[in-house]
mmCIF file of all heavy atoms in Angstrom:
data_model
loop_
_atom_site.group_PDB
_atom_site.id
_atom_site.type_symbol
_atom_site.label_atom_id
_atom_site.label_comp_id
_atom_site.label_asym_id
_atom_site.label_seq_id
_atom_site.Cartn_x
_atom_site.Cartn_y
_atom_site.Cartn_z
ATOM 1 N N HIS A 1 100.099 84.264 134.490
ATOM 2 C CA HIS A 1 100.510 85.654 134.386
ATOM 3 C C HIS A 1 101.982 85.776 134.785
ATOM 4 O O HIS A 1 102.572 84.862 135.367
ATOM 5 C CB HIS A 1 99.655 86.537 135.282
ATOM 6 C CG HIS A 1 99.770 86.211 136.741
ATOM 7 N ND1 HIS A 1 100.810 86.649 137.548
ATOM 8 C CD2 HIS A 1 98.979 85.445 137.562
ATOM 9 C CE1 HIS A 1 100.659 86.196 138.767
ATOM 10 N NE2 HIS A 1 99.554 85.453 138.806
ATOM 11 N N THR A 2 102.585 86.931 134.451
ATOM 12 C CA THR A 2 104.012 87.124 134.675
ATOM 13 C C THR A 2 104.320 88.000 135.890
ATOM 14 O O THR A 2 105.467 88.387 136.091
ATOM 15 C CB THR A 2 104.662 87.777 133.439
ATOM 16 O OG1 THR A 2 104.034 89.058 133.188
ATOM 17 C CG2 THR A 2 104.502 86.900 132.202
ATOM 18 N N PHE A 3 103.309 88.330 136.690
ATOM 19 C CA PHE A 3 103.525 89.304 137.770
ATOM 20 C C PHE A 3 104.591 88.838 138.753
ATOM 21 O O PHE A 3 105.370 89.648 139.264
ATOM 22 C CB PHE A 3 102.202 89.536 138.511
ATOM 23 C CG PHE A 3 102.313 90.533 139.640
ATOM 24 C CD1 PHE A 3 102.409 91.883 139.348
ATOM 25 C CD2 PHE A 3 102.328 90.127 140.966
ATOM 26 C CE1 PHE A 3 102.508 92.830 140.378
ATOM 27 C CE2 PHE A 3 102.440 91.040 141.995
ATOM 28 C CZ PHE A 3 102.531 92.402 141.694
ATOM 29 N N GLY A 4 104.651 87.563 139.060
ATOM 30 C CA GLY A 4 105.570 87.079 140.089
ATOM 31 C C GLY A 4 106.986 86.821 139.623
ATOM 32 O O GLY A 4 107.823 86.391 140.421
ATOM 33 N N ILE A 5 107.271 87.084 138.338
ATOM 34 C CA ILE A 5 108.634 86.859 137.853
ATOM 35 C C ILE A 5 109.477 88.068 138.212
ATOM 36 O O ILE A 5 109.580 89.047 137.470
ATOM 37 C CB ILE A 5 108.648 86.619 136.320
ATOM 38 C CG1 ILE A 5 107.733 85.450 135.963
ATOM 39 C CG2 ILE A 5 110.064 86.337 135.836
ATOM 40 C CD1 ILE A 5 107.636 85.196 134.463
ATOM 41 N N THR A 6 110.071 87.995 139.364
ATOM 42 C CA THR A 6 110.873 89.107 139.868
ATOM 43 C C THR A 6 112.086 88.570 140.601
ATOM 44 O O THR A 6 112.053 87.464 141.162
ATOM 45 C CB THR A 6 110.014 90.000 140.797
ATOM 46 O OG1 THR A 6 110.781 91.110 141.238
ATOM 47 C CG2 THR A 6 109.525 89.216 142.006
ATOM 48 N N GLN A 7 113.170 89.341 140.582
ATOM 49 C CA GLN A 7 114.463 88.874 141.069
ATOM 50 C C GLN A 7 114.429 88.436 142.530
ATOM 51 O O GLN A 7 115.057 87.449 142.908
ATOM 52 C CB GLN A 7 115.504 89.981 140.899
ATOM 53 C CG GLN A 7 116.947 89.517 140.981
ATOM 54 C CD GLN A 7 117.475 89.061 139.633
ATOM 55 O OE1 GLN A 7 117.435 89.803 138.681
ATOM 56 N NE2 GLN A 7 117.953 87.840 139.565
ATOM 57 N N ARG A 8 113.684 89.137 143.355
ATOM 58 C CA ARG A 8 113.756 88.865 144.790
ATOM 59 C C ARG A 8 113.211 87.498 145.166
ATOM 60 O O ARG A 8 113.595 86.917 146.178
ATOM 61 C CB ARG A 8 113.012 89.954 145.571
ATOM 62 C CG ARG A 8 111.520 90.044 145.319
ATOM 63 C CD ARG A 8 110.894 91.202 146.084
ATOM 64 N NE ARG A 8 109.446 91.294 145.912
ATOM 65 C CZ ARG A 8 108.856 91.972 144.949
ATOM 66 N NH1 ARG A 8 109.592 92.608 144.046
ATOM 67 N NH2 ARG A 8 107.528 92.025 144.873
ATOM 68 N N TYR A 9 112.299 86.958 144.346
ATOM 69 C CA TYR A 9 111.699 85.671 144.682
ATOM 70 C C TYR A 9 112.614 84.480 144.380
ATOM 71 O O TYR A 9 112.316 83.356 144.792
ATOM 72 C CB TYR A 9 110.370 85.495 143.947
ATOM 73 C CG TYR A 9 109.294 86.431 144.443
ATOM 74 C CD1 TYR A 9 108.301 86.902 143.604
ATOM 75 C CD2 TYR A 9 109.257 86.830 145.768
ATOM 76 C CE1 TYR A 9 107.299 87.758 144.055
ATOM 77 C CE2 TYR A 9 108.261 87.694 146.243
ATOM 78 C CZ TYR A 9 107.303 88.153 145.373
ATOM 79 O OH TYR A 9 106.319 89.003 145.838
ATOM 80 N N SER A 10 113.695 84.723 143.666
ATOM 81 C CA SER A 10 114.685 83.660 143.471
ATOM 82 C C SER A 10 116.066 84.129 143.918
ATOM 83 O O SER A 10 117.084 83.620 143.463
ATOM 84 C CB SER A 10 114.733 83.233 141.994
ATOM 85 O OG SER A 10 115.093 84.310 141.167
ATOM 86 N N GLY A 11 116.071 85.104 144.818
ATOM 87 C CA GLY A 11 117.339 85.680 145.274
ATOM 88 C C GLY A 11 118.182 84.749 146.111
ATOM 89 O O GLY A 11 119.355 85.048 146.396
ATOM 90 N N PHE A 12 117.628 83.582 146.489
ATOM 91 C CA PHE A 12 118.406 82.594 147.231
ATOM 92 C C PHE A 12 119.631 82.142 146.443
ATOM 93 O O PHE A 12 120.582 81.595 147.015
ATOM 94 C CB PHE A 12 117.554 81.365 147.546
ATOM 95 C CG PHE A 12 116.120 81.673 147.890
ATOM 96 C CD1 PHE A 12 115.091 81.349 147.011
ATOM 97 C CD2 PHE A 12 115.810 82.298 149.075
ATOM 98 C CE1 PHE A 12 113.776 81.656 147.321
ATOM 99 C CE2 PHE A 12 114.498 82.599 149.400
ATOM 100 C CZ PHE A 12 113.478 82.282 148.511
ATOM 101 N N SER A 13 119.633 82.348 145.131
ATOM 102 C CA SER A 13 120.713 81.849 144.267
ATOM 103 C C SER A 13 121.976 82.691 144.344
ATOM 104 O O SER A 13 123.061 82.213 143.990
ATOM 105 C CB SER A 13 120.218 81.817 142.799
ATOM 106 O OG SER A 13 119.147 80.933 142.629
ATOM 107 N N PHE A 14 121.883 83.930 144.775
ATOM 108 C CA PHE A 14 123.015 84.850 144.671
ATOM 109 C C PHE A 14 124.282 84.380 145.385
ATOM 110 O O PHE A 14 125.377 84.527 144.815
ATOM 111 C CB PHE A 14 122.605 86.240 145.164
ATOM 112 C CG PHE A 14 121.941 87.067 144.098
ATOM 113 C CD1 PHE A 14 120.563 87.054 143.951
ATOM 114 C CD2 PHE A 14 122.687 87.849 143.219
ATOM 115 C CE1 PHE A 14 119.934 87.810 142.971
ATOM 116 C CE2 PHE A 14 122.078 88.615 142.238
ATOM 117 C CZ PHE A 14 120.702 88.590 142.098
ATOM 118 N N PRO A 15 124.228 83.823 146.588
ATOM 119 C CA PRO A 15 125.490 83.402 147.207
ATOM 120 C C PRO A 15 126.256 82.376 146.382
ATOM 121 O O PRO A 15 127.495 82.422 146.292
ATOM 122 C CB PRO A 15 125.041 82.800 148.552
ATOM 123 C CG PRO A 15 123.734 83.481 148.832
ATOM 124 C CD PRO A 15 123.086 83.647 147.500
ATOM 125 N N TYR A 16 125.541 81.466 145.751
ATOM 126 C CA TYR A 16 126.195 80.411 144.971
ATOM 127 C C TYR A 16 126.735 80.940 143.660
ATOM 128 O O TYR A 16 127.771 80.490 143.167
ATOM 129 C CB TYR A 16 125.199 79.263 144.761
ATOM 130 C CG TYR A 16 124.472 78.938 146.044
ATOM 131 C CD1 TYR A 16 123.153 79.364 146.254
ATOM 132 C CD2 TYR A 16 125.112 78.280 147.086
ATOM 133 C CE1 TYR A 16 122.494 79.111 147.454
ATOM 134 C CE2 TYR A 16 124.461 78.023 148.290
ATOM 135 C CZ TYR A 16 123.160 78.457 148.468
ATOM 136 O OH TYR A 16 122.520 78.212 149.664
ATOM 137 N N VAL A 17 126.047 81.937 143.107
ATOM 138 C CA VAL A 17 126.540 82.601 141.902
ATOM 139 C C VAL A 17 127.838 83.343 142.225
ATOM 140 O O VAL A 17 128.764 83.369 141.403
ATOM 141 C CB VAL A 17 125.482 83.559 141.332
ATOM 142 C CG1 VAL A 17 126.062 84.379 140.174
ATOM 143 C CG2 VAL A 17 124.265 82.777 140.860
ATOM 144 N N CYS A 18 127.923 83.940 143.407
ATOM 145 C CA CYS A 18 129.167 84.618 143.825
ATOM 146 C C CYS A 18 130.345 83.654 143.768
ATOM 147 O O CYS A 18 131.457 84.030 143.387
ATOM 148 C CB CYS A 18 129.018 85.198 145.227
ATOM 149 S SG CYS A 18 127.899 86.601 145.362
ATOM 150 N N ILE A 19 130.111 82.398 144.161
ATOM 151 C CA ILE A 19 131.178 81.396 144.136
ATOM 152 C C ILE A 19 131.588 81.099 142.698
ATOM 153 O O ILE A 19 132.786 81.045 142.374
ATOM 154 C CB ILE A 19 130.715 80.115 144.858
ATOM 155 C CG1 ILE A 19 130.357 80.428 146.312
ATOM 156 C CG2 ILE A 19 131.810 79.045 144.800
ATOM 157 C CD1 ILE A 19 129.714 79.250 147.043
ATOM 158 N N LEU A 20 130.619 80.898 141.826
ATOM 159 C CA LEU A 20 130.933 80.590 140.422
ATOM 160 C C LEU A 20 131.698 81.746 139.766
ATOM 161 O O LEU A 20 132.671 81.518 139.044
ATOM 162 C CB LEU A 20 129.639 80.322 139.653
ATOM 163 C CG LEU A 20 128.884 79.036 140.023
ATOM 164 C CD1 LEU A 20 127.541 78.983 139.303
ATOM 165 C CD2 LEU A 20 129.712 77.804 139.677
ATOM 166 N N VAL A 21 131.259 82.976 140.018
ATOM 167 C CA VAL A 21 131.951 84.138 139.447
ATOM 168 C C VAL A 21 133.373 84.208 139.977
ATOM 169 O O VAL A 21 134.316 84.521 139.228
ATOM 170 C CB VAL A 21 131.176 85.434 139.747
ATOM 171 C CG1 VAL A 21 131.975 86.653 139.306
ATOM 172 C CG2 VAL A 21 129.811 85.419 139.060
ATOM 173 N N SER A 22 133.563 83.908 141.245
ATOM 174 C CA SER A 22 134.902 83.927 141.830
ATOM 175 C C SER A 22 135.814 82.901 141.152
ATOM 176 O O SER A 22 137.013 83.153 140.962
ATOM 177 C CB SER A 22 134.823 83.646 143.330
ATOM 178 O OG SER A 22 134.071 84.638 143.985
ATOM 179 N N MET A 23 135.258 81.773 140.792
ATOM 180 C CA MET A 23 136.053 80.767 140.078
ATOM 181 C C MET A 23 136.570 81.328 138.754
ATOM 182 O O MET A 23 137.742 81.132 138.390
ATOM 183 C CB MET A 23 135.206 79.513 139.824
ATOM 184 C CG MET A 23 134.866 78.734 141.072
ATOM 185 S SD MET A 23 133.790 77.323 140.676
ATOM 186 C CE MET A 23 133.658 76.536 142.294
ATOM 187 N N GLY A 24 135.713 82.017 138.024
ATOM 188 C CA GLY A 24 136.157 82.627 136.759
ATOM 189 C C GLY A 24 137.226 83.672 136.963
ATOM 190 O O GLY A 24 138.205 83.735 136.204
ATOM 191 N N LEU A 25 137.074 84.482 138.011
ATOM 192 C CA LEU A 25 138.077 85.524 138.278
ATOM 193 C C LEU A 25 139.417 84.917 138.685
ATOM 194 O O LEU A 25 140.474 85.439 138.320
ATOM 195 C CB LEU A 25 137.558 86.463 139.366
ATOM 196 C CG LEU A 25 136.378 87.357 138.976
ATOM 197 C CD1 LEU A 25 135.889 88.145 140.199
ATOM 198 C CD2 LEU A 25 136.755 88.305 137.846
ATOM 199 N N LEU A 26 139.395 83.821 139.429
ATOM 200 C CA LEU A 26 140.649 83.165 139.807
ATOM 201 C C LEU A 26 141.314 82.481 138.614
ATOM 202 O O LEU A 26 142.539 82.349 138.564
ATOM 203 C CB LEU A 26 140.391 82.124 140.909
ATOM 204 C CG LEU A 26 140.109 82.696 142.296
ATOM 205 C CD1 LEU A 26 139.762 81.572 143.263
ATOM 206 C CD2 LEU A 26 141.307 83.500 142.814
ATOM 207 N N GLN A 27 140.515 82.070 137.648
ATOM 208 C CA GLN A 27 141.075 81.423 136.466
ATOM 209 C C GLN A 27 141.655 82.445 135.488
ATOM 210 O O GLN A 27 142.575 82.134 134.724
ATOM 211 C CB GLN A 27 139.995 80.595 135.765
ATOM 212 C CG GLN A 27 140.481 79.710 134.635
ATOM 213 C CD GLN A 27 141.376 78.578 135.087
ATOM 214 O OE1 GLN A 27 141.360 78.216 136.271
ATOM 215 N NE2 GLN A 27 142.160 78.020 134.186
ATOM 216 N N LEU A 28 141.146 83.673 135.526
ATOM 217 C CA LEU A 28 141.541 84.692 134.550
ATOM 218 C C LEU A 28 143.058 84.933 134.524
ATOM 219 O O LEU A 28 143.660 84.927 133.432
ATOM 220 C CB LEU A 28 140.796 86.001 134.848
ATOM 221 C CG LEU A 28 141.086 87.180 133.926
ATOM 222 C CD1 LEU A 28 140.735 86.841 132.469
ATOM 223 C CD2 LEU A 28 140.319 88.414 134.372
ATOM 224 N N PRO A 29 143.752 85.164 135.641
ATOM 225 C CA PRO A 29 145.200 85.422 135.576
ATOM 226 C C PRO A 29 146.020 84.214 135.140
ATOM 227 O O PRO A 29 147.226 84.354 134.874
ATOM 228 C CB PRO A 29 145.542 85.843 137.003
ATOM 229 C CG PRO A 29 144.481 85.293 137.854
ATOM 230 C CD PRO A 29 143.239 85.308 137.021
ATOM 231 N N LYS A 30 145.407 83.050 135.039
ATOM 232 C CA LYS A 30 146.125 81.866 134.576
ATOM 233 C C LYS A 30 146.228 81.814 133.054
ATOM 234 O O LYS A 30 146.942 80.986 132.500
ATOM 235 C CB LYS A 30 145.451 80.604 135.112
ATOM 236 C CG LYS A 30 145.456 80.513 136.637
ATOM 237 C CD LYS A 30 144.686 79.322 137.149
ATOM 238 C CE LYS A 30 144.638 79.331 138.679
ATOM 239 N NZ LYS A 30 143.832 78.203 139.220
ATOM 240 N N LEU A 31 145.471 82.697 132.405
ATOM 241 C CA LEU A 31 145.581 82.802 130.937
ATOM 242 C C LEU A 31 146.854 83.556 130.545
ATOM 243 O O LEU A 31 147.439 84.292 131.351
ATOM 244 C CB LEU A 31 144.364 83.539 130.379
ATOM 245 C CG LEU A 31 142.995 82.868 130.457
ATOM 246 C CD1 LEU A 31 141.933 83.815 129.906
ATOM 247 C CD2 LEU A 31 142.981 81.547 129.704
ATOM 248 N N ARG A 32 147.238 83.411 129.300
ATOM 249 C CA ARG A 32 148.303 84.227 128.740
ATOM 250 C C ARG A 32 147.879 85.695 128.789
ATOM 251 O O ARG A 32 146.684 86.001 128.619
ATOM 252 C CB ARG A 32 148.599 83.830 127.301
ATOM 253 C CG ARG A 32 148.911 82.350 127.091
ATOM 254 C CD ARG A 32 150.250 81.976 127.682
ATOM 255 N NE ARG A 32 150.535 80.554 127.465
ATOM 256 C CZ ARG A 32 151.639 79.949 127.886
ATOM 257 N NH1 ARG A 32 152.539 80.617 128.586
ATOM 258 N NH2 ARG A 32 151.827 78.655 127.640
ATOM 259 N N PRO A 33 148.799 86.608 129.048
ATOM 260 C CA PRO A 33 148.408 88.015 129.202
ATOM 261 C C PRO A 33 147.683 88.600 127.997
ATOM 262 O O PRO A 33 146.857 89.508 128.149
ATOM 263 C CB PRO A 33 149.737 88.732 129.502
ATOM 264 C CG PRO A 33 150.799 87.789 129.084
ATOM 265 C CD PRO A 33 150.245 86.409 129.271
ATOM 266 N N TRP A 34 148.022 88.116 126.791
ATOM 267 C CA TRP A 34 147.325 88.649 125.611
ATOM 268 C C TRP A 34 145.879 88.179 125.538
ATOM 269 O O TRP A 34 145.100 88.694 124.752
ATOM 270 C CB TRP A 34 148.080 88.268 124.322
ATOM 271 C CG TRP A 34 148.518 86.832 124.215
ATOM 272 C CD1 TRP A 34 147.807 85.782 123.734
ATOM 273 C CD2 TRP A 34 149.783 86.298 124.616
ATOM 274 N NE1 TRP A 34 148.535 84.635 123.793
ATOM 275 C CE2 TRP A 34 149.758 84.913 124.320
ATOM 276 C CE3 TRP A 34 150.938 86.848 125.170
ATOM 277 C CZ2 TRP A 34 150.839 84.078 124.587
ATOM 278 C CZ3 TRP A 34 152.013 86.005 125.414
ATOM 279 C CH2 TRP A 34 151.962 84.643 125.135
ATOM 280 N N PHE A 35 145.511 87.225 126.383
ATOM 281 C CA PHE A 35 144.106 86.835 126.505
ATOM 282 C C PHE A 35 143.465 87.445 127.754
ATOM 283 O O PHE A 35 142.327 87.938 127.719
ATOM 284 C CB PHE A 35 143.985 85.313 126.594
ATOM 285 C CG PHE A 35 144.396 84.581 125.359
ATOM 286 C CD1 PHE A 35 145.003 83.338 125.448
ATOM 287 C CD2 PHE A 35 144.179 85.126 124.104
ATOM 288 C CE1 PHE A 35 145.385 82.643 124.306
ATOM 289 C CE2 PHE A 35 144.568 84.447 122.959
ATOM 290 C CZ PHE A 35 145.167 83.208 123.055
ATOM 291 N N SER A 36 144.201 87.427 128.867
ATOM 292 C CA SER A 36 143.617 87.869 130.136
ATOM 293 C C SER A 36 143.413 89.380 130.222
ATOM 294 O O SER A 36 142.397 89.850 130.741
ATOM 295 C CB SER A 36 144.478 87.395 131.303
ATOM 296 O OG SER A 36 145.765 87.972 131.244
ATOM 297 N N LEU A 37 144.373 90.145 129.683
ATOM 298 C CA LEU A 37 144.293 91.594 129.826
ATOM 299 C C LEU A 37 143.092 92.211 129.092
ATOM 300 O O LEU A 37 142.410 93.081 129.662
ATOM 301 C CB LEU A 37 145.606 92.249 129.372
ATOM 302 C CG LEU A 37 146.814 91.962 130.273
ATOM 303 C CD1 LEU A 37 148.071 92.610 129.705
ATOM 304 C CD2 LEU A 37 146.555 92.469 131.688
ATOM 305 N N PRO A 38 142.780 91.813 127.854
ATOM 306 C CA PRO A 38 141.576 92.376 127.222
ATOM 307 C C PRO A 38 140.287 92.046 127.992
ATOM 308 O O PRO A 38 139.407 92.905 128.127
ATOM 309 C CB PRO A 38 141.575 91.713 125.835
ATOM 310 C CG PRO A 38 142.971 91.315 125.589
ATOM 311 C CD PRO A 38 143.535 90.958 126.924
ATOM 312 N N ILE A 39 140.188 90.802 128.486
ATOM 313 C CA ILE A 39 139.002 90.439 129.252
ATOM 314 C C ILE A 39 138.947 91.242 130.541
ATOM 315 O O ILE A 39 137.878 91.757 130.931
ATOM 316 C CB ILE A 39 139.017 88.928 129.559
ATOM 317 C CG1 ILE A 39 138.899 88.133 128.255
ATOM 318 C CG2 ILE A 39 137.870 88.564 130.510
ATOM 319 C CD1 ILE A 39 139.038 86.633 128.440
ATOM 320 N N ALA A 40 140.081 91.398 131.216
ATOM 321 C CA ALA A 40 140.133 92.174 132.450
ATOM 322 C C ALA A 40 139.722 93.620 132.198
ATOM 323 O O ALA A 40 139.028 94.241 133.030
ATOM 324 C CB ALA A 40 141.517 92.116 133.062
ATOM 325 N N ALA A 41 140.134 94.177 131.071
ATOM 326 C CA ALA A 41 139.790 95.565 130.749
ATOM 327 C C ALA A 41 138.262 95.721 130.570
ATOM 328 O O ALA A 41 137.666 96.695 131.059
ATOM 329 C CB ALA A 41 140.518 96.004 129.483
ATOM 330 N N VAL A 42 137.645 94.749 129.899
ATOM 331 C CA VAL A 42 136.188 94.818 129.721
ATOM 332 C C VAL A 42 135.477 94.614 131.065
ATOM 333 O O VAL A 42 134.479 95.269 131.346
ATOM 334 C CB VAL A 42 135.726 93.771 128.698
ATOM 335 C CG1 VAL A 42 134.201 93.803 128.557
ATOM 336 C CG2 VAL A 42 136.361 94.058 127.328
ATOM 337 N N LEU A 43 136.001 93.719 131.883
ATOM 338 C CA LEU A 43 135.417 93.538 133.228
ATOM 339 C C LEU A 43 135.543 94.815 134.062
ATOM 340 O O LEU A 43 134.677 95.103 134.900
ATOM 341 C CB LEU A 43 136.076 92.368 133.939
ATOM 342 C CG LEU A 43 135.798 90.977 133.369
ATOM 343 C CD1 LEU A 43 136.576 89.903 134.125
ATOM 344 C CD2 LEU A 43 134.304 90.649 133.414
ATOM 345 N N ALA A 44 136.594 95.580 133.824
ATOM 346 C CA ALA A 44 136.745 96.861 134.523
ATOM 347 C C ALA A 44 135.641 97.838 134.101
ATOM 348 O O ALA A 44 135.148 98.620 134.914
ATOM 349 C CB ALA A 44 138.121 97.455 134.248
ATOM 350 N N VAL A 45 135.255 97.768 132.815
ATOM 351 C CA VAL A 45 134.136 98.594 132.340
ATOM 352 C C VAL A 45 132.853 98.198 133.073
ATOM 353 O O VAL A 45 132.082 99.049 133.510
ATOM 354 C CB VAL A 45 133.962 98.442 130.809
ATOM 355 C CG1 VAL A 45 132.702 99.166 130.345
ATOM 356 C CG2 VAL A 45 135.182 98.984 130.082
#
């Protein structure tokens, strides 16, 4: 059954995901502005 498929039971992953997301954000300004600015605008949304 699918009853136990819920976010809280695998929530141990969130701290490590925060690190991976931070890596992407730090890499973003290293792009050319015509690439980074559109992505940044969508991330602002």
Side-chain angles (χ1 to χ4, degrees):
H1 62 81
T2 60
F3 181 75
I5 303 177
T6 182
Q7 197 87 56
R8 64 183 182 271
Y9 291 148
S10 61
F12 322 109
S13 298
F14 275 92
Y16 315 103
V17 173
C18 290
I19 301 172
L20 292 173
V21 173
S22 298
M23 291 177 176
L25 291 175
L26 286 176
Q27 189 67 20
L28 180 60
K30 298 175 184 178
L31 292 177
R32 306 289 181 181
W34 46 88
F35 294 146
S36 63
L37 291 178
I39 295 175
V42 177
L43 291 177
V45 173

